Amino acid sequence: MVEENISPSLVVFDLDGTLVDTLPAIVPAVNQLRARIHLAPLEPEAIQAAMGAPLDIFIERVINMQRGSSMPYQSKETRFCQLAKRLYGPCYLLSLEMHATNYEGVREVLNQLVCQGIHVAILTNKSHELAVVTVETMGLSCFFPEALIIGSDSLSVSKPDPQTLETIMDIFGVTPSDEVWMVGDSDVDLMVAEAAGVTGIACSYGYGNAGSSFDAQATIDSPEHLLDLLTSPLDGSAIE
């Protein structure tokens, strides 16, 4: 637990449920995909529960779910899952611009961090292609050029493997320390922070379960509250 005020040199963000509210776009995209392969639509809660995993696993989860249940009812073969993955991309892109939004204050927070000389990057379990398009569509490319977006297929491993976060630190020439922050709404984000030896910040406003199984150095309930941490000790308490 970091009890003194330590300003970060690098802040790495998750994407879905942390910077961008994409669930309103993902739900219709998934159900459009399921309709194309002759499956009934799923409830938003079931789709949300499937999020956070690499795209291959996410697609496998949402095409193996029975309506009204979060439990798989049949395991589709790999070839079928790969086809579903290819079909999902266009469904998501069609829905993205109409339904996804940045969380309130995200642009202001990012601008403030950059103005203070703090590096920013994205580490997500979304595929790199869909992550880049999401960032572009949401108008965040000025903060996150393509090279600073690491997706589930950017490397041979994905979150929570520490190599993902270490790759970003290598880009900026920084070493693991409390001055590197990993910010996300899932315990996967806190797991990768712990494994890489950096500070984990949980977002209580997202889709995930950040803080349910792994301790965070701080918890924020809105993007703007991240700025409060720049001047407050990281004592594990929630910033409201």
Side-chain angles (χ1 to χ4, degrees):
M1 184 178 294
V2 184
E3 296 186 347
E4 70 267 20
N5 176 30
I6 297 179
S7 226
S9 59
L10 168 64
V11 179
V12 182
F13 292 92
D14 177 46
L15 183 57
D16 301 277
T18 299
L19 293 174
V20 183
D21 185 8
T22 48
L23 184 62
I26 291 172
V27 169
V30 166
N31 283 330
Q32 183 182 357
L33 165 65
R34 285 178 59 91
R36 294 186 66 177
I37 56 179
H38 309 291
L39 296 173
L42 296 172
E43 296 83 358
E45 295 79 11
I47 295 171
Q48 178 177 335
M51 292 173 62
L55 183 60
D56 286 352
I57 298 174
F58 173 68
I59 294 300
E60 184 175 355
R61 287 175 177 175
V62 297
I63 66 174
N64 283 320
M65 282 183 186
Q66 186 174 12
R67 186 176 183 180
S69 171
S70 61
M71 297 299 294
Y73 68 95
Q74 182 181 356
S75 180
K76 303 291 192 303
E77 63 181 26
T78 301
R79 185 171 57 180
F80 186 86
C81 292
Q82 290 302 315
L83 170 62
K85 178 182 173 182
R86 291 195 297 272
L87 292 173
Y88 175 73
C91 296
Y92 173 74
L93 297 179
L94 184 65
S95 184
L96 177 65
E97 189 169 354
M98 294 179 9
H99 300 297
T101 57
N102 292 326
Y103 283 107
E104 185 176 355
V106 158
R107 290 188 62 86
E108 293 77 7
V109 169
L110 293 172
N111 188 63
Q112 184 69 18
L113 293 175
V114 171
C115 285
Q116 292 190 33
I118 298 169
H119 300 299
V120 296
I122 287 174
L123 176 57
T124 175
N125 271 342
K126 213 178 197 73
S127 73
H128 181 255
E129 178 184 6
L130 295 185
V132 168
V133 173
T134 300
V135 168
E136 290 174 350
T137 303
M138 295 296 101
L140 301 178
S141 296
C142 55
F143 303 107
F144 304 107
E146 188 170 342
L148 298 184
I149 302 172
I150 301 297
S152 62
D153 53 355
S154 297
L155 307 170
S156 60
V157 294
S158 58
K159 287 191 299 185
D161 191 296
Q163 183 182 336
T164 56
L165 195 46
E166 290 163 356
T167 296
I168 293 175
M169 289 188 280
D170 287 345
I171 291 173
F172 293 104
V174 300
T175 56
S177 72
D178 294 333
E179 296 180 6
V180 178
W181 292 5
M182 177 71 218
V183 182
D185 67 317
S186 169
D187 269 350
V188 170
D189 300 304
L190 300 182
M191 288 169 65
V192 73
E194 183 178 283
V198 307
T199 296
I201 309 294
C203 302
S204 64
Y205 58 85
Y207 313 134
N209 57 348
S212 63
S213 301
F214 284 80
D215 291 335
Q217 275 67 60
T219 300
I220 57 174
D221 67 2
S222 75
E224 295 100 323
H225 292 154
L226 186 67
L227 298 179
D228 296 334
L229 297 181
L230 300 179
T231 55
S232 301
L234 303 184
D235 59 2
S237 60
I239 302 296
E240 301 176 352

